[in-house]
Amino acid sequence: MALLTSAQESSAAPDGRAAHRPRVLLSAREDQLDSVLALRRVGAHLGGLRPTGRSDLDPPPVAALVCDDGPATERLLDLGVPVVHLDSGHPGPADAEAPPGRALGRIHRPGWLPQSAPLPRGTRPTGVLAPQRTGRSRSRSGTLLLLSLWSVPDPETEAFATGALRELVGAALHRTGSCTVVADTGLALLRSALGALLEQPGVRVHRAADVDTDAIHAEAAVFLASPVLGALALAQARRAPLALLPPLGATQRDLAGQVSAVLPLPSADDPDDPGLWALSAAAAAAGPWHLLDPALDDLRGAQRVARTLRQLALAPL
C-alpha cells in the first residue's frame, strides 16, 4: 500500500520549481506500524526530491523507497525503477529473508540490540530510524498508547482489546486527563471494545497511517507502546519515558525478550500502578537510555536511508 503525508503531497504538486525535482515513489505497508513510522521518518529528509504515491507511475519515478512490501518492490524493479527496500520492523523468529533481488536492501536495526541471527544476505543495517524532531512540548499532557496489531493472531487481539486495552485507556483518562490510541490495524475491533469510553472527550482512536505519531508523542506526557522498533526509536531519540504494553504475537515477544536483556523498561501491565502514570522527564534522564553504549547509539538511520535514495535518484545505477 502507498503512504504519503499531506506535507509530502504538497511538495509533490507539479507547480513551480517542484515540478523539476526528481520524482521518487514512497510506499509502505499501512497495516504495519513500523512500516508507517519508518516511511514518514525517512521521507522527512528528502528535501530536493518530489515524492509520489504508487498510483502515479506514468512516467515511472526515477527511484523508489519501499518499506516491507516485497511484491511492490518486485513490480517496480520489473518496470525498471531502482528501489531501496527497507525492512522496518523486527523480524520474527522465522522471518529473516533476503531483500528482493536487484534492490538495495536496508534493515532497521539499532546497534545496541543483540543480534540473534546473521542479517539477510545483501542487507545493511541502518541504525536507529529516529524522528526528525527530537524536542517535546513543555506543556505536554495526556497519554499516547501506540499499538501494533500487525500479524497478531485474532484471539490475542480480541483478548487484549476487550481486557487490558480498555482498562489502560480508562486509567489513562483518569490519571492523565486524556488518552490517544494510535494503532496500525484492527481499528473497528478497538473502537467496539472501548465502547462508552469513546464518548469521553479525552479519548481518541486513530489509524497510524492517518496521523503524525511522532508529533502526537511530542505533546503527550505518558507513552505506552507495543514492543516494536519504531516505538523504541521514538523514545530513545527523545530520551523519553516508555512503558511497554504486553507483547502480542511471536514477533513482539521475541523483540521484548531481546530488549529486556539490555534495557530495564517498565511494563504497562498494571493499570492500577501509580508509578505507571508518574513517568517523568527526570525518570527518563536517570534511565534507562544512559545504559546504552554511546558507540552503538546511532540515531541517523533515517538520514542514512534518505541519502541512499537521493543518490539513487540523482545518479541511478
Side-chain angles (χ1 to χ4, degrees):
M1 297 183 181
L3 177 70
L4 215 62
T5 67
S6 57
Q8 290 167 343
E9 288 172 344
S10 297
S11 67
D15 54 50
R17 290 177 295 178
H20 301 288
R21 297 172 183 168
R23 193 163 59 91
V24 295
L25 181 145
L26 305 182
S27 180
R29 288 184 55 95
E30 294 187 8
D31 58 350
Q32 183 179 356
L33 178 61
D34 274 326
S35 193
V36 170
L37 296 178
L39 190 73
R40 290 191 187 280
R41 291 172 188 171
V42 175
H45 296 280
L46 292 178
L49 300 177
R50 182 156 57 98
T52 184
R54 276 176 48 195
S55 60
D56 187 8
L57 291 174
D58 187 20
V62 297
L65 169 65
V66 178
C67 297
D68 307 286
D69 191 341
T73 292
E74 294 286 8
R75 288 192 293 270
L76 287 164
L77 291 170
D78 289 342
L79 291 174
V81 179
V83 177
V84 177
H85 182 90
L86 173 62
D87 286 316
S88 64
H90 177 69
D95 290 344
E97 296 181 359
R102 298 171 289 155
L104 296 180
R106 300 292 183 267
I107 188 168
H108 185 194
R109 191 70 186 178
W112 55 264
L113 193 62
Q115 188 167 311
S116 56
L119 293 177
R121 184 177 180 181
T123 299
R124 297 181 184 176
T126 63
V128 174
L129 296 176
Q132 182 183 34
R133 294 180 176 84
T134 57
R136 300 175 72 202
S137 171
R138 293 185 178 180
S139 58
R140 54 187 178 270
S141 62
T143 298
L144 168 60
L145 194 154
L146 186 57
L147 177 62
S148 178
L149 298 176
W150 175 77
S151 79
V152 176
D154 291 342
E156 280 194 70
T157 296
E158 185 170 0
F160 176 80
T162 57
L165 176 67
R166 190 158 51 194
E167 294 176 359
L168 283 167
V169 171
L173 180 64
H174 173 69
R175 298 276 189 172
T176 70
S178 66
C179 183
T180 299
V181 179
V182 177
D184 46 15
T185 188
L187 276 294
L189 173 62
L190 299 181
R191 292 189 174 105
S192 175
L194 291 176
L197 280 170
L198 284 176
E199 299 176 6
Q200 302 294 322
V203 178
R204 296 171 292 275
V205 177
H206 298 296
R207 189 174 72 124
D210 296 335
V211 295
D212 186 342
T213 299
D214 295 346
I216 295 174
H217 174 259
E219 299 293 331
V222 176
F223 185 29
L224 314 179
S226 297
V228 294
L229 289 179
L232 290 167
L234 180 56
Q236 179 188 352
R238 290 175 170 169
R239 292 297 194 264
L242 167 64
L244 294 180
L245 298 169
L248 303 176
T251 299
Q252 290 185 24
R253 282 190 285 271
D254 187 65
L255 177 59
Q258 293 187 28
V259 171
S260 66
V262 181
L263 290 173
L265 291 172
S267 298
D269 53 8
D270 183 5
D272 296 325
D273 178 9
L276 181 62
W277 313 107
L279 296 175
S280 66
W289 307 113
H290 76 284
L291 298 175
L292 299 179
D293 183 348
L296 302 176
D297 195 14
D298 186 353
L299 303 178
R300 297 171 295 174
Q303 294 98 311
R304 187 173 292 110
V305 176
R307 183 166 60 248
T308 299
L309 182 62
R310 184 178 293 106
Q311 291 171 343
L312 202 58
L314 299 178
L317 298 178

